[in-house]
């Protein structure tokens, strides 16, 4: 978890305590659940997409405090993908990058749309966000390299990542992983 995210979240919660104590308590609970998730996994382990999405829900809720009305997040997925295996923080990393390099660079903020589908024996994770692709930094991040290493190690097959400018003001990150049912890994 990014230290800047943690610092910003704590400061935002601190401000909330004065204006909306109920919301502040909810955000503390969400941050606590996130910390429990991060502490509870091992780098070589896999989690179900459902577990990752619970973590992501907390992450996005905390980011919405920081960005207020400038962050519009939505998601769409096939029901069957909730049981797919994925390295922890795999989806969150894509959304974090969309916020940092997309929404965070736009004066008016923007939209992020997450979609997950099963396609040809793979899990396809797409994050589309408002923004302009900076070709000099596209897909060179250490976080993405580490994620692909964890995919290859944990799922015994490589994954792929692509970052494209899909319209004048829209960037799409696509992570494709080998499909494995999370439940079948633990039998």
């Amino acid at each position: 978890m990014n230290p800047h995210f943690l610092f910003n979240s704590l400061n935002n919660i601190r401000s909330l305590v004065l204006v909306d104590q109920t919301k502040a308590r909810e955000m503390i609970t969400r941050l606590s659940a996130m910390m429990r998730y991060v502490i509870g996994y091992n780098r070589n382990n896999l989690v179900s997409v459902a577990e990752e999405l619970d973590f992501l829900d907390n992450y996005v809720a905390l980011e919405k405090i920081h960005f207020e009305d400038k962050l519009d997040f939505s998601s769409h997925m096939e029901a069957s993908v909730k049981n797919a295996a994925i390295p922890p923080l795999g989806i969150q990393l894509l959304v974090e990058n969309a916020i940092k390099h997309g929404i965070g660079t736009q004066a008016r903020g923007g939209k992020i749309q997450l979609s997950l589908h099963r396609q040809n024996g793979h899990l396809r994770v797409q994050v589309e966000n408002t923004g302009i692709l900076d070709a000099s930094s596209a897909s060179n991040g250490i976080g993405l390299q580490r994620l692909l290493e964890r995919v290859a190690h944990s799922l015994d097959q490589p994954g792929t990542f692509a970052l494209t400018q899909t319209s004048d003001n829209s960037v799409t990150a696509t992570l494709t992983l080998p499909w494995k049912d999370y439940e079948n890994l633990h039998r």
Side-chain angles (χ1 to χ4, degrees):
M1 192 175 334
N2 185 318
H4 293 289
F5 167 77
L6 183 58
F7 179 73
N8 287 339
S9 295
L10 289 171
N11 278 327
N12 291 333
I13 291 168
R14 181 178 169 268
S15 296
L16 265 180
V17 167
L18 299 174
V19 294
D20 189 344
Q21 292 177 0
T22 302
K23 184 79 168 172
R25 281 193 302 271
E26 175 191 342
M27 294 300 114
I28 290 169
T29 300
R30 286 180 179 275
L31 185 58
S32 175
M34 290 177 66
M35 297 301 290
R36 190 175 307 112
Y37 180 81
V38 169
I39 290 169
Y41 75 80
N42 177 314
R43 284 190 168 288
N44 298 326
N45 285 347
L46 296 166
V47 296
S48 69
V49 166
E51 290 172 293
E52 179 76 358
L53 293 177
D54 285 344
F55 176 85
L56 186 65
D57 181 53
N58 291 324
Y59 175 79
V60 170
L62 287 164
E63 285 288 35
K64 281 186 174 187
I65 293 173
H66 181 73
F67 286 94
E68 298 173 340
D69 295 338
K70 293 181 178 182
L71 175 57
D72 179 9
F73 180 84
S74 63
S75 64
H76 170 73
M77 73 200 73
E78 298 169 355
S80 65
V81 303
K82 288 187 177 186
N83 189 44
I86 188 168
L89 306 178
I91 298 171
Q92 183 272 341
L93 175 64
L94 298 181
V95 172
E96 179 181 2
N97 283 343
I99 291 171
K100 180 179 177 184
H101 301 293
I103 306 307
T105 66
Q106 305 293 310
R108 295 174 147 176
K111 296 180 181 184
I112 295 176
Q113 180 164 4
L114 168 67
S115 63
L116 296 102
H117 303 281
R118 185 175 187 166
Q119 185 177 27
N120 301 326
H122 291 85
L123 172 63
R124 186 176 173 126
V125 180
Q126 286 189 301
V127 176
E128 182 178 352
N129 64 275
T130 304
I132 305 296
L133 182 61
D134 178 3
S136 66
S137 65
S139 65
N140 292 331
I142 190 103
L144 294 169
Q145 291 173 6
R146 294 281 188 266
L147 174 59
L148 289 172
E149 289 170 7
R150 290 190 300 140
V151 167
H153 176 74
S154 299
L155 294 170
D156 301 322
Q157 293 176 34
T160 62
F161 176 77
L163 191 60
T164 56
Q165 187 79 45
T166 48
S167 72
D168 288 344
N169 197 33
S170 181
V171 175
T172 301
T174 304
L175 177 65
T176 305
L177 310 171
W179 181 274
K180 286 203 177 179
D181 285 313
Y182 181 74
E183 290 177 1
N184 293 339
L185 296 174
H186 301 286
R187 286 185 181 171

